[in-house]
Amino acid sequence: SDSGSDSEDSSLSDSELQEAFAKGALKPGLNVVLEERPKRHNDADGLKQCLAEFRQQLTWVERLDVTLGPVTDPVSQSASTSDAVDPENDFQREMSFYRQAQAAVLEALPRLRKLQVPTRRPDDYFAEMAKSDQQMQKIRQKLKSKQEAMERSEKAKQLRAMRKYGKKVQVEILQKRQKEKKNMLNAVKKYQKGLTDKLDFLDEEQTSSQGNKKGNANQRIKKGPNAKRRYKNQKFGFGGKKKGSKWNTKESFNDVSSFQSKVAHSKGPGKGGRGGKGGKKALNKRPGKRARQKMKNRAR
């Protein structure tokens, strides 16, 4: 019966459910009635009692608590109160904090000096760093690696830019050469077809090549011999004719004044015979290694 009633309740429309809820016909469990939240109140006496329980009766030098209002503003000659500060104005709010901290310092410093508490840091004060030397070394290495990576990337960018520029110049030069070649071929075709009888393009090529040769020759003339060559020329002279210097002329052929028959027929001393160094020994002398190699090559 309960299941039948649940199914009937679930099959009801929203209006029918609202009417049943108003009459109190719905069973508990389907709807939860929220209880009212308890009202909050300020229990000042209870707070004071708790404060008295955990308060410790210590001297001021152990607590160092200062509760004061803001110090007098030297411009307006009046202490700025919290009511006069606009909380939405950042400058006024920060100035009020600053003035209040200044008032606390002016109140606490004389009391500390009276109690002989040092308020200044000594010259040889050493403050230990929060991070160890190993950690700082790791940070330095990390920064160094990042800097090196940035330098490598920058260098790679410069190299890419230089390659791109070099490739651009190379393409421009190739295009210029192709254009000149195309113009030359067109001029040659026009001349072959009889459309023109001018050969100016050949003159331009010859003049350009001659200009280059003349420029190179001028450069060579201006350059001159180096210091070593000039020293040798000064010491030994410029020499004479080398090529063809041993050729006979008509005068040298007819001149027989230096002819010696003994020397010519190997009868003089040292030119053969039994008493000389030549003779059979000279004729039977074995040729050198290079001469023998040449003879073998000829025989092949």
Side-chain angles (χ1 to χ4, degrees):
S1 62
D2 294 341
S3 61
S5 61
D6 292 342
S7 62
E8 289 177 359
D9 293 340
S10 61
S11 62
L12 297 176
S13 61
D14 294 339
S15 60
E16 292 175 350
L17 286 173
Q18 291 176 1
E19 292 177 359
F21 178 72
K23 292 177 182 180
L26 295 178
K27 295 179 179 180
L30 296 176
N31 297 282
V32 178
V33 180
L34 297 176
E35 297 179 358
E36 294 182 0
R37 294 181 179 178
K39 295 181 179 180
R40 299 177 181 177
H41 59 281
N42 187 12
D43 189 4
D45 297 336
L47 292 174
K48 290 179 181 179
Q49 184 180 358
C50 292
L51 181 61
E53 289 177 358
F54 66 81
R55 175 180 290 176
Q56 297 179 357
Q57 298 298 329
L58 300 174
T59 58
W60 179 81
V61 72
E62 297 292 338
R63 294 181 284 110
L64 294 178
D65 56 341
V66 178
T67 305
L68 291 171
V71 75
T72 304
D73 190 357
V75 178
S76 62
Q77 296 296 329
S78 62
S80 59
T81 59
S82 59
D83 297 336
V85 177
D86 184 9
E88 299 298 331
N89 192 336
D90 296 339
F91 180 75
Q92 290 184 3
R93 188 174 65 252
E94 294 296 331
M95 282 303 297
S96 67
F97 294 155
Y98 172 75
R99 295 294 180 189
Q100 190 171 5
Q102 189 177 10
V105 170
L106 293 175
E107 176 69 19
L109 276 178
R111 295 175 67 177
L112 289 172
R113 289 171 184 169
K114 188 176 180 180
L115 296 172
Q116 297 181 357
V117 177
T119 57
R120 290 183 177 274
R121 180 178 295 175
D123 296 335
D124 58 347
Y125 180 78
F126 177 74
E128 187 177 357
M129 296 181 64
K131 295 182 179 180
S132 61
D133 294 340
Q134 291 87 0
Q135 183 68 18
M136 294 302 295
Q137 193 67 21
K138 289 181 181 179
I139 293 172
R140 291 192 193 95
Q141 291 178 358
K142 186 73 174 178
L143 293 175
K144 187 177 180 181
S145 62
K146 284 185 178 180
Q147 185 177 2
E148 290 177 354
M150 291 175 64
E151 290 178 357
R152 286 196 298 269
S153 63
E154 189 67 23
K155 190 174 181 181
K157 287 180 182 178
Q158 292 178 0
L159 288 174
R160 284 196 294 270
M162 291 174 64
R163 289 173 185 170
K164 189 174 181 180
Y165 178 74
K167 190 174 182 181
K168 182 179 178 182
V169 172
Q170 186 178 5
V171 170
E172 289 178 356
I173 292 173
L174 292 175
Q175 289 178 354
K176 184 179 179 181
R177 289 178 181 175
Q178 290 177 358
K179 186 176 180 181
E180 292 176 355
K181 185 178 180 181
K182 186 177 180 180
N183 294 336
M184 173 69 73
L185 293 175
N186 292 334
V188 170
K189 288 181 180 178
K190 288 181 180 179
Y191 181 78
Q192 289 176 350
K193 292 179 180 179
L195 299 176
T196 180
D197 55 350
K198 296 180 180 180
L199 297 175
D200 298 336
F201 55 91
L202 295 177
D203 296 337
E204 291 177 0
E205 290 293 327
Q206 290 178 359
T207 53
S208 61
S209 61
Q210 289 176 0
N212 293 333
K213 290 181 180 179
K214 288 181 180 179
N216 295 333
N218 293 332
Q219 290 178 359
R220 286 196 297 271
I221 292 169
K222 288 180 182 179
K223 188 175 181 182
N226 55 11
K228 186 176 180 181
R229 184 71 267 167
R230 289 197 299 270
Y231 172 73
K232 288 188 176 182
N233 291 341
Q234 184 180 0
K235 185 176 181 181
F236 304 106
F238 292 92
K241 185 179 179 182
K242 302 295 187 298
K243 189 174 182 181
S245 60
K246 295 184 179 181
W247 290 355
N248 285 328
T249 60
K250 186 176 181 180
E251 292 78 7
S252 65
F253 179 77
N254 294 327
D255 185 12
V256 292
S257 59
S258 61
F259 178 76
Q260 298 178 5
S261 60
K262 294 182 179 180
V263 175
H265 297 291
S266 299
K267 292 182 180 181
K271 295 293 182 180
R274 293 181 180 180
K277 296 182 181 179
K280 294 182 179 179
K281 290 185 179 180
L283 293 174
N284 296 331
K285 186 178 179 181
R286 185 185 180 190
K289 184 176 180 180
R290 186 169 295 178
R292 297 197 305 271
Q293 190 69 27
K294 287 182 179 181
M295 291 168 64
K296 287 182 181 179
N297 294 335
R298 289 174 184 173
R300 290 177 183 174

